[in-house]
Structures are given as C-alpha cells and as structure tokens.
C-alpha cells in the first residue's frame, strides 16, 4: 500500500487542473485541443511532487479519464492519499508564542487536519491573527495584526478572490545592528483561513512571509 503523499495545497492544485480540463471539454473544442490540455495538466501534476515513485505517478495520472464521474472518482481516490497537517499540542503552540502570555488557542479538536496547509486562528478581541506553518521541516508560528475590511479582493496566500483582511507582522531583521530597528510587512489575506486552505495551491507566499518575519 502506498503511504499518504499528497499535501493539501497539491490536492487543491490537482483539483484546479481538473476544473480547467472540464471547462475546456464543455466548450466543444476539437479533440486535439482537449488532449493537449489534458497533457499539460498531467505534466504539471507530475512536476508537483518531486522524486515521486512510479506508483505515486500512476495514482496521479489522469490522462485516461473521460467522464465527469471518472474525474470525481479520481478526486475521491487521491483524497485518500492526503497527508494530514502534523498533530500539534497546545503546549507546542504556547512555546511558539512565548511572549504572548494571554495567548488565545485554537479549537484543535474541531479543526479538520486532513485539508490543512497552514493552521491559523484569530483573536478578535485583540485583532490578532496567528499562523502556524512548516518551514524547512520545522513548525513555526507568526503573530500578526489583523484588520477585517469586509471587502473582496485577491488573497496573497491562495490567490483567490475572497473576503479579505489586512494583516501585518513585525520583521526581526538581522541586517542591522540597531536593536530598535523594526520593519513591518503586510498584505491582504482571506478573513476565513478555512476557505483559504480550500484554495491554496502552493505555500510559496507563506514560506516567504514567515521566513522574512522570523529572520530565517
Ligand atoms: Zn486565501
């Protein structure tokens, strides 16, 4: 039996490729164009998981699928290979935010760890947002200022149009000797990180912002 090997963001990416194929198929394009679209999607999916085994490549191969039903079955099947977000305890979370003595913790028992790229929760009383993500094999967390906008825009993390909030976080830069030097970085992100986790197709932005913030 093959071990679980697909990350949530990769699963979302594959689903997006399938949506593109289905969309093209509906437009009654010539068969050669549809075949090229499927080839392209397959190539992108194969590139998604570096050093994948032959068995994994076979699981991910969608080139023989034809009907909507087959695509649905394919998605259900690859969902069984989803790598869950690592189990994390409240104790570990507290250690990630040692300066926050009144840390509000997420309801870990009620979070679906199977479809999670990053863990995030808000403390609306203090307008804070917490983000926990694995960077370079290590679970790390950042604390952000969080300002809801009640507007729709493109989220920096998942690149989807959604209700967004403005977040900013302090950079502890190593580039200067001045201990009082602080820089703030910020951007627009989904207000609802549950929705964001359904749309995220890669962790590049998250990695970059966390590395910059923590000086990694
Ligand atoms: Zn998002």
């Amino acid at each position: 039996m093959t071990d679980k090997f697909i990350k949530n963001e990769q699963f979302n990416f594959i689903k997006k490729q399938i949506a593109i194929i289905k969309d093209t198929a509906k437009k009654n394009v010539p068969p050669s164009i549809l075949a090229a679209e499927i080839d392209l999607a397959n190539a992108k999916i194969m590139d998604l998981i570096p050093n994948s085994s032959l068995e994994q490549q076979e699981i991910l191969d969608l080139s023989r699928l034809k009907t909507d039903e087959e695509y649905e079955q394919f998605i259900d099947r690859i969902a069984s290979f989803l790598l869950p977000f690592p189990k994390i305890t409240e104790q570990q979370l507290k250690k990630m935010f040692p300066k926050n003595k009144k840390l509000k913790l997420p309801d870990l028992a009620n979070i679906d760890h199977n479809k999670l790229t990053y863990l995030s929760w808000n403390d609306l009383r203090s307008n804070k947002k917490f983000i926990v993500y694995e960077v370079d094999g290590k679970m790390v967390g950042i604390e952000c200022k969080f300002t809801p906008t009640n507007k729709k825009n493109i989220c920096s993390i998942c690149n989807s149009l959604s209700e967004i909030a403005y977040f900013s976080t302090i950079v502890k830069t190593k580039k200067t000797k001045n201990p009082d030097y602080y820089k703030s970085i910020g951007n627009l992100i989904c207000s609802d990180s549950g929705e964001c986790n359904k749309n995220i197709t890669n962790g590049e932005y998250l990695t970059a912002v966390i590395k910059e913030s923590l000086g990694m």
Side-chain angles (χ1 to χ4, degrees):
M1 210 197 109
T2 306
D3 288 335
K4 294 173 189 264
F5 68 101
I6 303 171
K7 292 180 178 168
N8 176 59
E9 62 273 25
Q10 295 168 332
F11 179 71
N12 291 341
F13 181 90
I14 295 167
K15 281 203 299 186
K16 267 190 193 163
Q17 295 304 314
I18 290 174
I20 293 169
I21 293 171
K22 282 181 166 178
D23 217 42
T24 308
K26 265 191 223 122
K27 286 176 191 152
N28 291 319
V29 294
S32 62
I33 297 206
L34 183 60
E37 196 72 73
I38 293 169
D39 270 355
L40 182 65
N42 228 11
K44 284 184 188 168
I45 291 167
M46 291 304 153
D47 273 352
L48 201 57
I49 296 169
N51 310 317
S52 53
S53 68
L54 278 176
E55 212 182 341
Q56 291 169 340
Q57 286 170 22
E58 236 159 70
I59 292 165
L60 296 173
D61 182 7
L62 50 72
S63 62
R64 282 183 294 269
L65 307 178
K66 298 259 183 302
T67 63
D68 279 8
E69 201 187 342
E70 283 170 343
Y71 280 114
E72 289 313 314
Q73 285 166 355
F74 175 82
I75 290 170
D76 285 347
R77 178 165 151 72
I78 61 167
S80 66
F81 293 101
L82 268 170
L83 276 169
F85 191 80
K87 280 266 171 286
I88 200 158
T89 62
E90 293 191 344
Q91 215 50 40
Q92 286 170 305
L93 291 177
K94 281 180 189 160
K95 265 192 195 159
M96 281 181 203
F97 304 100
K99 283 185 190 151
N100 193 323
K101 299 294 175 212
K102 289 183 195 159
L103 181 67
K104 180 188 176 269
L105 291 163
D107 185 5
L108 287 171
N110 280 317
I111 292 172
D112 180 4
H113 283 60
N114 277 318
K115 291 186 178 164
L116 211 57
T117 293
Y118 69 100
L119 174 67
S120 179
W121 67 101
N122 303 335
D123 182 355
L124 293 175
R125 276 172 316 168
S126 59
N127 278 322
K128 290 224 167 103
K129 183 176 191 70
F130 300 87
I131 296 177
V132 171
Y133 183 58
E134 192 175 272
V135 178
D136 297 342
K138 198 173 168 241
M139 271 297 165
V140 287
I142 56 169
E143 185 176 318
C144 315
K145 240 174 92 180
F146 179 74
T147 318
T149 65
N150 299 316
K151 282 183 189 148
K152 284 199 166 188
N153 209 325
I154 301 291
C155 163
S156 312
I157 296 177
C158 68
N159 285 313
S160 302
L161 181 70
S162 63
E163 188 146 311
I164 41 97
Y166 185 77
F167 87 98
S168 63
T169 185
I170 298 291
V171 174
K172 291 159 198 123
T173 181
K174 283 177 174 168
K175 284 171 197 146
T176 167
K177 287 193 175 101
N178 180 355
D180 295 326
Y181 180 87
Y182 282 109
K183 189 178 118 188
S184 170
I185 47 171
N187 223 321
L188 300 173
I189 56 168
C190 290
S191 304
D192 180 348
S193 54
E195 282 305 306
C196 198
N197 269 295
K198 283 184 200 158
N199 288 315
I200 184 170
T201 55
N202 73 69
E204 278 169 32
Y205 179 78
L206 265 179
T207 304
V209 97
I210 289 174
K211 278 191 163 181
E212 192 178 1
S213 170
L214 298 177
M216 286 171 82

